[in-house]
Amino acid sequence: MIILLKYGANKTDADEIVGQIASMGLKPLYMPGVERTVIGAIGDERVLEKLHLENHPAVERVDKILTPYKLVSRDLYPIDTVVKIGNVPIGGGHFAVIAGPCAVESEEQMLKVAEIVKAHGGNALRGGAFKPRSSPYSFQGLGIEGLKILNKVSKITNLPTVTEVLEVQDVEAVEKYASAFQIGARNMQNFRLLKIVGQSKKPIILKRGLAATVSDLLLAAEYIVSEGNPNVILCERGIRTFETATRNTLDLNAIPYIKKHSHLPVIVDPSHGTGVRDFVEPMTKAAIACGADGVIIEVHNDPKNALSDGYQSLFPEQFASLMKNIRPFIQAANKK
Ligand code: PEP
Ligand code: MN
């Protein structure tokens, strides 16, 4: 349920209502806005009806949240959530470019790529230390060693970092060394992992599963937020369809849909979404045009010799021209 307070309702009114909700065994959420205060109540709605909050003098309206997801729903919280990775805001009018190699391969490689990302105005650095590869014979990542490299390079370049956490046992280490968690497509419905990262305060980029609906993605985000971590950034990275011309089908319909139904920021991964480096720039422009709050892009100092996803990684000069060419699109979308 959402309870919208009247203009001029004060903190004492809000506290009283929050107290009543809690006394019925429901979870109250206090969300003071610039103009109005919204109070959420999570739990059995039939219990709440007994309180007849609609009769409270400070209450304007009591509405049911009809969507299966509640905390991430725009019905509950109408204002765009801004999530910060390090000091980089994502959402609410800020457009962010997160870029870097698919995998951390060495300190030298990571530093070279980070310098490219930084030189051309990238906002944050990506790089996987734990890699979920389709084949067990492919490079699996440097593990903890990779996290330490990422952390060192972050300190040198002053770029915040994003890296995938594959398993519950690695959450602590990733939390220690990176600025944000990435939950990969293959783990989007690993509910135990979602709950554990939900107990952290670090931001989380939650990627859409290969065969997940947008509703599945929003419910996965609900798992994280309901554990107490509101810092979730959703990521459209393409889904499996009958189309095989490209690696995945980048579902840009998801962006305006998510914007309409959720207050969480949403970014696009045109690298995994297409699997073709030449399509990364056009799909980045499309992502900006349809309302995305950022992109996460693979770029490598030497894509031909990359240990993972080299074929879809941008050459440094491609990244440079992408960063220049997207500027008018960001401006046209009224973003910074
Ligand atoms: C990645 O970002 O390198 C990655 C493995 O992404 P996804 O989980 O979307 O496949
Ligand atoms: Mn990759």
Side-chain angles (χ1 to χ4, degrees):
M1 291 274 209
I2 52 167
I3 300 119
L4 178 69
L5 300 194
K6 289 183 176 157
Y7 284 105
N10 57 33
K11 180 80 169 56
T12 317
D13 295 320
D15 285 346
E16 189 197 321
I17 294 165
V18 163
Q20 284 187 32
I21 293 167
S23 73
M24 300 300 275
L26 291 130
K27 186 174 167 185
L29 292 155
Y30 172 61
M31 291 172 288
V34 182
E35 292 188 344
R36 305 271 203 111
T37 293
V38 174
I39 293 171
I42 309 292
D44 187 347
E45 295 185 336
R46 288 163 304 180
V47 177
L48 197 76
E49 277 163 12
K50 291 186 195 146
L51 285 176
H52 288 288
L53 287 173
E54 66 279 6
N55 296 335
H56 191 289
V59 171
E60 166 115 3
R61 219 170 59 225
V62 178
D63 286 331
K64 281 190 176 150
I65 304 172
L66 298 172
T67 48
Y69 43 85
K70 316 283 178 196
L71 299 172
V72 306
S73 166
R74 207 177 263 286
D75 290 347
L76 178 74
Y77 194 65
I79 299 155
D80 282 353
T81 289
V82 179
V83 176
K84 278 179 129 187
I85 297 184
N87 53 8
V88 176
I90 299 176
H94 302 274
F95 188 83
V97 176
I98 303 162
C102 182
V104 178
E105 298 168 14
S106 68
E107 188 176 321
E108 192 196 354
Q109 167 249 13
M110 209 56 220
L111 196 55
K112 277 188 185 156
V113 183
E115 273 160 2
I116 294 161
V117 170
K118 192 171 168 121
H120 301 290
N123 307 101
L125 185 64
R126 62 151 287 152
F130 302 99
K131 294 306 304 175
R133 305 305 300 281
S134 299
S135 163
Y137 307 118
S138 301
F139 177 59
Q140 305 284 309
L142 297 179
I144 302 287
E145 185 51 34
L147 292 179
K148 288 184 182 165
I149 292 173
L150 197 61
N151 186 261
K152 189 167 172 191
V153 170
S154 167
K155 283 186 178 139
I156 297 170
T157 56
N158 214 11
L159 285 170
T161 57
V162 177
T163 198
E164 178 163 358
V165 59
L166 265 183
E167 296 181 64
V168 168
Q169 69 193 52
D170 298 322
V171 168
E172 223 179 289
V174 172
E175 176 159 34
K176 178 171 168 197
Y177 291 115
S179 318
F181 294 106
Q182 176 175 317
I183 299 287
R186 290 153 194 83
N187 261 326
M188 189 205 83
Q189 286 185 315
N190 181 341
F191 300 120
R192 171 111 180 90
L193 183 61
L194 298 180
K195 283 186 177 185
I196 302 286
V197 292
Q199 287 156 21
S200 163
K201 285 286 168 255
K202 281 241 159 123
I204 296 157
I205 294 182
L206 177 65
K207 298 187 94 177
R208 179 175 178 186
L210 280 76
T213 63
V214 177
S215 174
D216 292 335
L217 173 64
L218 290 166
L219 281 166
E222 186 85 8
Y223 263 92
I224 298 171
V225 181
S226 65
E227 288 295 317
N229 187 347
N231 303 309
V232 179
I233 300 160
L234 303 168
C235 179
E236 166 58 43
R237 49 79 70 206
I239 48 172
R240 283 277 163 92
T241 66
F242 59 83
E243 180 56 77
T244 54
T246 49
R247 182 176 178 178
N248 289 294
T249 298
L250 188 62
D251 177 18
L252 290 183
N253 291 356
I255 307 304
Y257 184 93
I258 291 170
K259 284 277 158 204
K260 182 172 167 146
H261 294 279
S262 175
H263 54 85
L264 294 178
V266 55
I267 64 171
V268 168
D269 176 346
S271 302
H272 294 88
T274 63
V276 183
R277 65 164 72 84
D278 288 350
F279 300 166
V280 170
E281 182 175 317
M283 296 318 281
T284 297
K285 290 171 177 166
I288 301 165
C290 69
D293 298 300
V295 280
I296 181 162
I297 290 176
E298 286 185 344
V299 52
H300 197 286
N301 58 309
D302 181 13
K304 286 190 193 121
N305 291 304
L307 297 181
S308 169
D309 285 352
Y311 58 88
Q312 69 188 27
S313 301
L314 298 184
F315 286 98
E317 55 278 15
Q318 276 184 307
F319 181 70
S321 62
L322 175 145
M323 290 303 286
K324 188 160 77 61
N325 297 341
I326 64 173
R327 263 183 236 143
F329 287 77
I330 296 172
Q331 237 174 10
N334 246 332
K335 293 213 163 94
K336 286 188 283 256

